[in-house]
Amino acid sequence: MNRRETAAFMGVSEKFLATHLLDGPKRLKVGTKVLYRLSDVEDWMKHQEVSR
């Protein structure tokens, strides 16, 4: 997924992804494009869960 698709899936802005490169989901750089695997995004989101 590209950055726009990933941001929409996560419910965050594209800027959020751009500013959280180190602690955000894994990404791939293909030429000048930044891409995200759905499985990596889902894994990252699972690790962000907090218990009450």
Side-chain angles (χ1 to χ4, degrees), residues 9-26:
F9 176 80
M10 294 176 63
V12 299
S13 68
E14 290 181 55
K15 185 176 180 179
F16 173 89
L17 289 175
T19 58
H20 286 82
L21 292 177
L22 295 178
D23 60 348
K26 292 179 185 177

Side-chain angles (χ1 to χ4, degrees), residues 2-40:
N2 63 30
R3 186 174 286 153
R4 178 177 292 148
E5 294 166 331
T6 303
F9 176 80
M10 294 176 63
V12 299
S13 68
E14 290 181 55
K15 185 176 180 179
F16 173 89
L17 289 175
T19 58
H20 286 82
L21 292 177
L22 295 178
D23 60 348
K26 292 179 185 177
R27 67 205 178 284
L28 304 167
K29 184 106 182 205
V30 181
T32 59
K33 294 183 180 188
V34 175
L35 302 173
Y36 297 84
R37 287 187 187 102
L38 178 58
S39 60
D40 289 336

Side-chain angles (χ1 to χ4, degrees), residues 9-10 16 23-26 37-52:
F9 176 80
M10 294 176 63
F16 173 89
D23 60 348
K26 292 179 185 177
R37 287 187 187 102
L38 178 58
S39 60
D40 289 336
V41 173
E42 290 174 328
D43 286 344
W44 183 82
M45 291 177 75
K46 284 179 188 175
H47 287 96
Q48 302 311 304
E49 292 178 2
V50 293
S51 58
R52 293 181 183 200

